[in-house]
Amino acid sequence: MPRERQSYNDPLDAPLGGYVDLSYRIIRMSIMPFIVAHPALFGAFGVILILILVMEVQRARRLGGGVDPASAVHLINREDAWVLDVRGAAAFKQGHIIEAKNIPEARLDESLSSVESHKERPVIVCCEEGNRAASVVERLTRAGFVRPLLLRGGLRAWREANLPLEKR
């Protein structure tokens, strides 16, 4: 004789093997009581999360998303872009994009006058992984450069794309 299926008015009354999704059970049984017991903490978490998202969206808009290595090659060949490498001199000597100019990030402000003539050309800014170059792109934008672009992934991405480097 088949077993009768028992119905439940509240999904939380159903056994774990029942029709209730486990994630729903976790939310109702553990997260919701925490939120009710600590509304200030949950509110602070929400505010911080929103601020982080807003800052990241603004940063992405300022950087324009950057360019990948293939797009950088296109810009260098077709639009006369120049490459600014912001790594230290020792790292630059170990390998850099052909015809790149080396101005370490720490000396950027004092060396801007030497590249003033390139303000109207696209500038591809690179470092080892793209992290330091992002702040340099913002500084070049404030200094009046028309098209400073971040090389997404930095020289690591350039190497992974098997593009040439020069050592001198």
Side-chain angles (χ1 to χ4, degrees), residues 67-96:
V67 295
D68 61 352
S71 299
V73 169
H74 178 80
L75 286 168
I76 292 166
N77 292 335
R78 307 274 185 215
E79 297 186 36
D80 196 29
W82 63 283
V83 179
L84 174 62
D85 192 323
V86 295
R87 298 175 301 151
F92 183 78
K93 287 179 183 175
Q94 290 177 346
H96 57 272

mmCIF file of all heavy atoms in Angstrom, residues 67-96:
data_model
loop_
_atom_site.group_PDB
_atom_site.id
_atom_site.type_symbol
_atom_site.label_atom_id
_atom_site.label_comp_id
_atom_site.label_asym_id
_atom_site.label_seq_id
_atom_site.Cartn_x
_atom_site.Cartn_y
_atom_site.Cartn_z
ATOM 1 N N VAL A 67 43.003 48.315 -22.487
ATOM 2 C CA VAL A 67 43.129 47.590 -23.750
ATOM 3 C C VAL A 67 43.860 46.279 -23.501
ATOM 4 O O VAL A 67 44.714 46.189 -22.632
ATOM 5 C CB VAL A 67 43.873 48.421 -24.829
ATOM 6 C CG1 VAL A 67 43.078 49.640 -25.219
ATOM 7 C CG2 VAL A 67 45.254 48.830 -24.355
ATOM 8 N N ASP A 68 43.509 45.270 -24.269
ATOM 9 C CA ASP A 68 44.223 44.005 -24.187
ATOM 10 C C ASP A 68 45.467 44.103 -25.075
ATOM 11 O O ASP A 68 45.614 45.061 -25.846
ATOM 12 C CB ASP A 68 43.323 42.846 -24.585
ATOM 13 C CG ASP A 68 42.815 42.937 -26.011
ATOM 14 O OD1 ASP A 68 43.026 43.975 -26.664
ATOM 15 O OD2 ASP A 68 42.209 41.964 -26.483
ATOM 16 N N PRO A 69 46.386 43.150 -24.990
ATOM 17 C CA PRO A 69 47.618 43.238 -25.780
ATOM 18 C C PRO A 69 47.391 43.351 -27.287
ATOM 19 O O PRO A 69 48.075 44.131 -27.961
ATOM 20 C CB PRO A 69 48.358 41.945 -25.420
ATOM 21 C CG PRO A 69 47.926 41.659 -24.023
ATOM 22 C CD PRO A 69 46.471 42.063 -23.997
ATOM 23 N N ALA A 70 46.416 42.630 -27.832
ATOM 24 C CA ALA A 70 46.164 42.707 -29.285
ATOM 25 C C ALA A 70 45.700 44.107 -29.684
ATOM 26 O O ALA A 70 46.134 44.656 -30.713
ATOM 27 C CB ALA A 70 45.140 41.657 -29.692
ATOM 28 N N SER A 71 44.828 44.701 -28.881
ATOM 29 C CA SER A 71 44.363 46.063 -29.163
ATOM 30 C C SER A 71 45.496 47.064 -29.008
ATOM 31 O O SER A 71 45.567 48.055 -29.746
ATOM 32 C CB SER A 71 43.226 46.449 -28.224
ATOM 33 O OG SER A 71 42.142 45.578 -28.395
ATOM 34 N N ALA A 72 46.389 46.812 -28.058
ATOM 35 C CA ALA A 72 47.540 47.698 -27.876
ATOM 36 C C ALA A 72 48.430 47.674 -29.110
ATOM 37 O O ALA A 72 48.897 48.725 -29.564
ATOM 38 C CB ALA A 72 48.332 47.283 -26.632
ATOM 39 N N VAL A 73 48.665 46.497 -29.667
ATOM 40 C CA VAL A 73 49.468 46.392 -30.893
ATOM 41 C C VAL A 73 48.805 47.176 -32.018
ATOM 42 O O VAL A 73 49.464 47.906 -32.764
ATOM 43 C CB VAL A 73 49.679 44.909 -31.296
ATOM 44 C CG1 VAL A 73 50.277 44.800 -32.680
ATOM 45 C CG2 VAL A 73 50.554 44.208 -30.274
ATOM 46 N N HIS A 74 47.495 47.057 -32.132
ATOM 47 C CA HIS A 74 46.760 47.800 -33.155
ATOM 48 C C HIS A 74 46.935 49.309 -32.962
ATOM 49 O O HIS A 74 47.181 50.040 -33.933
ATOM 50 C CB HIS A 74 45.275 47.428 -33.108
ATOM 51 C CG HIS A 74 44.438 48.175 -34.089
ATOM 52 N ND1 HIS A 74 44.366 47.824 -35.416
ATOM 53 C CD2 HIS A 74 43.660 49.276 -33.946
ATOM 54 C CE1 HIS A 74 43.567 48.674 -36.048
ATOM 55 N NE2 HIS A 74 43.136 49.570 -35.169
ATOM 56 N N LEU A 75 46.816 49.772 -31.729
ATOM 57 C CA LEU A 75 46.982 51.201 -31.452
ATOM 58 C C LEU A 75 48.401 51.674 -31.761
ATOM 59 O O LEU A 75 48.587 52.776 -32.297
ATOM 60 C CB LEU A 75 46.650 51.501 -29.991
ATOM 61 C CG LEU A 75 45.173 51.477 -29.617
ATOM 62 C CD1 LEU A 75 45.007 51.506 -28.108
ATOM 63 C CD2 LEU A 75 44.451 52.645 -30.251
ATOM 64 N N ILE A 76 49.386 50.859 -31.439
ATOM 65 C CA ILE A 76 50.776 51.232 -31.708
ATOM 66 C C ILE A 76 51.023 51.323 -33.214
ATOM 67 O O ILE A 76 51.632 52.275 -33.703
ATOM 68 C CB ILE A 76 51.741 50.225 -31.040
ATOM 69 C CG1 ILE A 76 51.656 50.338 -29.517
ATOM 70 C CG2 ILE A 76 53.167 50.433 -31.520
ATOM 71 C CD1 ILE A 76 52.306 49.176 -28.775
ATOM 72 N N ASN A 77 50.520 50.355 -33.953
ATOM 73 C CA ASN A 77 50.772 50.301 -35.394
ATOM 74 C C ASN A 77 49.907 51.263 -36.199
ATOM 75 O O ASN A 77 50.374 51.811 -37.201
ATOM 76 C CB ASN A 77 50.567 48.876 -35.918
ATOM 77 C CG ASN A 77 51.614 47.926 -35.401
ATOM 78 O OD1 ASN A 77 52.718 48.317 -35.039
ATOM 79 N ND2 ASN A 77 51.268 46.657 -35.340
ATOM 80 N N ARG A 78 48.658 51.455 -35.822
ATOM 81 C CA ARG A 78 47.721 52.230 -36.646
ATOM 82 C C ARG A 78 47.491 53.664 -36.166
ATOM 83 O O ARG A 78 47.191 54.532 -36.961
ATOM 84 C CB ARG A 78 46.370 51.529 -36.702
ATOM 85 C CG ARG A 78 46.434 50.102 -37.138
ATOM 86 C CD ARG A 78 46.399 49.979 -38.621
ATOM 87 N NE ARG A 78 46.347 48.551 -38.942
ATOM 88 C CZ ARG A 78 46.934 48.031 -39.977
ATOM 89 N NH1 ARG A 78 47.602 48.803 -40.797
ATOM 90 N NH2 ARG A 78 46.851 46.745 -40.208
ATOM 91 N N GLU A 79 47.600 53.884 -34.855
ATOM 92 C CA GLU A 79 47.262 55.216 -34.328
ATOM 93 C C GLU A 79 48.444 55.905 -33.663
ATOM 94 O O GLU A 79 48.256 56.870 -32.940
ATOM 95 C CB GLU A 79 46.096 55.095 -33.344
ATOM 96 C CG GLU A 79 44.817 54.591 -33.995
ATOM 97 C CD GLU A 79 43.647 54.613 -33.043
ATOM 98 O OE1 GLU A 79 43.561 55.547 -32.221
ATOM 99 O OE2 GLU A 79 42.824 53.690 -33.111
ATOM 100 N N ASP A 80 49.636 55.406 -33.902
ATOM 101 C CA ASP A 80 50.862 56.014 -33.395
ATOM 102 C C ASP A 80 50.853 56.167 -31.871
ATOM 103 O O ASP A 80 51.313 57.173 -31.328
ATOM 104 C CB ASP A 80 51.088 57.372 -34.072
ATOM 105 C CG ASP A 80 52.507 57.870 -33.882
ATOM 106 O OD1 ASP A 80 53.417 57.025 -33.758
ATOM 107 O OD2 ASP A 80 52.704 59.100 -33.852
ATOM 108 N N ALA A 81 50.316 55.166 -31.190
ATOM 109 C CA ALA A 81 50.316 55.196 -29.720
ATOM 110 C C ALA A 81 51.735 54.974 -29.224
ATOM 111 O O ALA A 81 52.548 54.329 -29.882
ATOM 112 C CB ALA A 81 49.395 54.108 -29.177
ATOM 113 N N TRP A 82 52.036 55.506 -28.064
ATOM 114 C CA TRP A 82 53.329 55.248 -27.445
ATOM 115 C C TRP A 82 53.102 54.558 -26.112
ATOM 116 O O TRP A 82 52.037 54.650 -25.514
ATOM 117 C CB TRP A 82 54.162 56.518 -27.312
ATOM 118 C CG TRP A 82 53.591 57.586 -26.440
ATOM 119 C CD1 TRP A 82 52.580 58.449 -26.734
ATOM 120 C CD2 TRP A 82 54.010 57.908 -25.112
ATOM 121 N NE1 TRP A 82 52.343 59.291 -25.677
ATOM 122 C CE2 TRP A 82 53.210 58.984 -24.666
ATOM 123 C CE3 TRP A 82 54.978 57.416 -24.255
ATOM 124 C CZ2 TRP A 82 53.346 59.554 -23.430
ATOM 125 C CZ3 TRP A 82 55.122 57.989 -23.010
ATOM 126 C CH2 TRP A 82 54.312 59.045 -22.602
ATOM 127 N N VAL A 83 54.097 53.812 -25.676
ATOM 128 C CA VAL A 83 53.968 52.981 -24.484
ATOM 129 C C VAL A 83 54.783 53.585 -23.353
ATOM 130 O O VAL A 83 55.959 53.899 -23.528
ATOM 131 C CB VAL A 83 54.433 51.532 -24.767
ATOM 132 C CG1 VAL A 83 54.314 50.673 -23.515
ATOM 133 C CG2 VAL A 83 53.639 50.932 -25.920
ATOM 134 N N LEU A 84 54.145 53.726 -22.207
ATOM 135 C CA LEU A 84 54.803 54.220 -21.008
ATOM 136 C C LEU A 84 54.878 53.073 -20.009
ATOM 137 O O LEU A 84 53.859 52.551 -19.561
ATOM 138 C CB LEU A 84 54.016 55.390 -20.417
ATOM 139 C CG LEU A 84 54.503 55.936 -19.081
ATOM 140 C CD1 LEU A 84 55.923 56.485 -19.208
ATOM 141 C CD2 LEU A 84 53.554 57.007 -18.568
ATOM 142 N N ASP A 85 56.087 52.653 -19.687
ATOM 143 C CA ASP A 85 56.319 51.569 -18.726
ATOM 144 C C ASP A 85 56.659 52.204 -17.392
ATOM 145 O O ASP A 85 57.646 52.932 -17.277
ATOM 146 C CB ASP A 85 57.469 50.685 -19.217
ATOM 147 C CG ASP A 85 57.591 49.388 -18.465
ATOM 148 O OD1 ASP A 85 57.352 49.390 -17.238
ATOM 149 O OD2 ASP A 85 57.945 48.372 -19.088
ATOM 150 N N VAL A 86 55.854 51.942 -16.365
ATOM 151 C CA VAL A 86 56.040 52.612 -15.075
ATOM 152 C C VAL A 86 56.738 51.728 -14.037
ATOM 153 O O VAL A 86 56.756 52.059 -12.853
ATOM 154 C CB VAL A 86 54.689 53.125 -14.516
ATOM 155 C CG1 VAL A 86 54.122 54.205 -15.409
ATOM 156 C CG2 VAL A 86 53.697 52.003 -14.317
ATOM 157 N N ARG A 87 57.360 50.647 -14.476
ATOM 158 C CA ARG A 87 58.129 49.792 -13.556
ATOM 159 C C ARG A 87 59.481 50.441 -13.278
ATOM 160 O O ARG A 87 59.881 51.395 -13.936
ATOM 161 C CB ARG A 87 58.353 48.412 -14.175
ATOM 162 C CG ARG A 87 57.048 47.670 -14.444
ATOM 163 C CD ARG A 87 57.277 46.366 -15.171
ATOM 164 N NE ARG A 87 57.949 46.624 -16.433
ATOM 165 C CZ ARG A 87 58.768 45.766 -17.036
ATOM 166 N NH1 ARG A 87 59.031 44.599 -16.496
ATOM 167 N NH2 ARG A 87 59.325 46.078 -18.193
ATOM 168 N N GLY A 88 60.193 49.891 -12.337
ATOM 169 C CA GLY A 88 61.528 50.386 -12.019
ATOM 170 C C GLY A 88 62.505 50.101 -13.151
ATOM 171 O O GLY A 88 62.246 49.283 -14.039
ATOM 172 N N ALA A 89 63.660 50.775 -13.106
ATOM 173 C CA ALA A 89 64.659 50.645 -14.172
ATOM 174 C C ALA A 89 65.185 49.215 -14.307
ATOM 175 O O ALA A 89 65.399 48.730 -15.415
ATOM 176 C CB ALA A 89 65.814 51.615 -13.928
ATOM 177 N N ALA A 90 65.378 48.526 -13.187
ATOM 178 C CA ALA A 90 65.906 47.150 -13.242
ATOM 179 C C ALA A 90 64.920 46.218 -13.947
ATOM 180 O O ALA A 90 65.316 45.417 -14.801
ATOM 181 C CB ALA A 90 66.201 46.649 -11.835
ATOM 182 N N ALA A 91 63.652 46.315 -13.616
ATOM 183 C CA ALA A 91 62.639 45.483 -14.265
ATOM 184 C C ALA A 91 62.510 45.848 -15.744
ATOM 185 O O ALA A 91 62.326 44.977 -16.596
ATOM 186 C CB ALA A 91 61.295 45.645 -13.564
ATOM 187 N N PHE A 92 62.629 47.129 -16.052
ATOM 188 C CA PHE A 92 62.530 47.591 -17.441
ATOM 189 C C PHE A 92 63.652 46.989 -18.280
ATOM 190 O O PHE A 92 63.424 46.554 -19.409
ATOM 191 C CB PHE A 92 62.595 49.127 -17.465
ATOM 192 C CG PHE A 92 62.428 49.725 -18.833
ATOM 193 C CD1 PHE A 92 61.175 49.830 -19.407
ATOM 194 C CD2 PHE A 92 63.518 50.212 -19.536
ATOM 195 C CE1 PHE A 92 61.006 50.393 -20.659
ATOM 196 C CE2 PHE A 92 63.365 50.781 -20.781
ATOM 197 C CZ PHE A 92 62.109 50.879 -21.352
ATOM 198 N N LYS A 93 64.870 46.929 -17.735
ATOM 199 C CA LYS A 93 66.015 46.387 -18.465
ATOM 200 C C LYS A 93 65.887 44.890 -18.722
ATOM 201 O O LYS A 93 66.437 44.369 -19.683
ATOM 202 C CB LYS A 93 67.318 46.670 -17.723
ATOM 203 C CG LYS A 93 67.734 48.118 -17.802
ATOM 204 C CD LYS A 93 69.016 48.368 -17.034
ATOM 205 C CE LYS A 93 69.353 49.856 -17.078
ATOM 206 N NZ LYS A 93 70.515 50.170 -16.250
ATOM 207 N N GLN A 94 65.137 44.189 -17.873
ATOM 208 C CA GLN A 94 64.959 42.750 -18.060
ATOM 209 C C GLN A 94 64.035 42.420 -19.216
ATOM 210 O O GLN A 94 64.032 41.300 -19.702
ATOM 211 C CB GLN A 94 64.431 42.107 -16.781
ATOM 212 C CG GLN A 94 65.446 42.080 -15.671
ATOM 213 C CD GLN A 94 64.868 41.490 -14.397
ATOM 214 O OE1 GLN A 94 63.653 41.336 -14.263
ATOM 215 N NE2 GLN A 94 65.748 41.182 -13.462
ATOM 216 N N GLY A 95 63.255 43.362 -19.660
ATOM 217 C CA GLY A 95 62.375 43.153 -20.808
ATOM 218 C C GLY A 95 61.231 44.138 -20.795
ATOM 219 O O GLY A 95 60.596 44.343 -19.765
ATOM 220 N N HIS A 96 60.983 44.759 -21.948
ATOM 221 C CA HIS A 96 59.908 45.746 -22.066
ATOM 222 C C HIS A 96 59.366 45.744 -23.492
ATOM 223 O O HIS A 96 59.989 45.201 -24.400
ATOM 224 C CB HIS A 96 60.386 47.144 -21.673
ATOM 225 C CG HIS A 96 61.561 47.614 -22.468
ATOM 226 N ND1 HIS A 96 62.853 47.343 -22.092
ATOM 227 C CD2 HIS A 96 61.640 48.312 -23.629
ATOM 228 C CE1 HIS A 96 63.677 47.870 -22.986
ATOM 229 N NE2 HIS A 96 62.960 48.460 -23.932
#
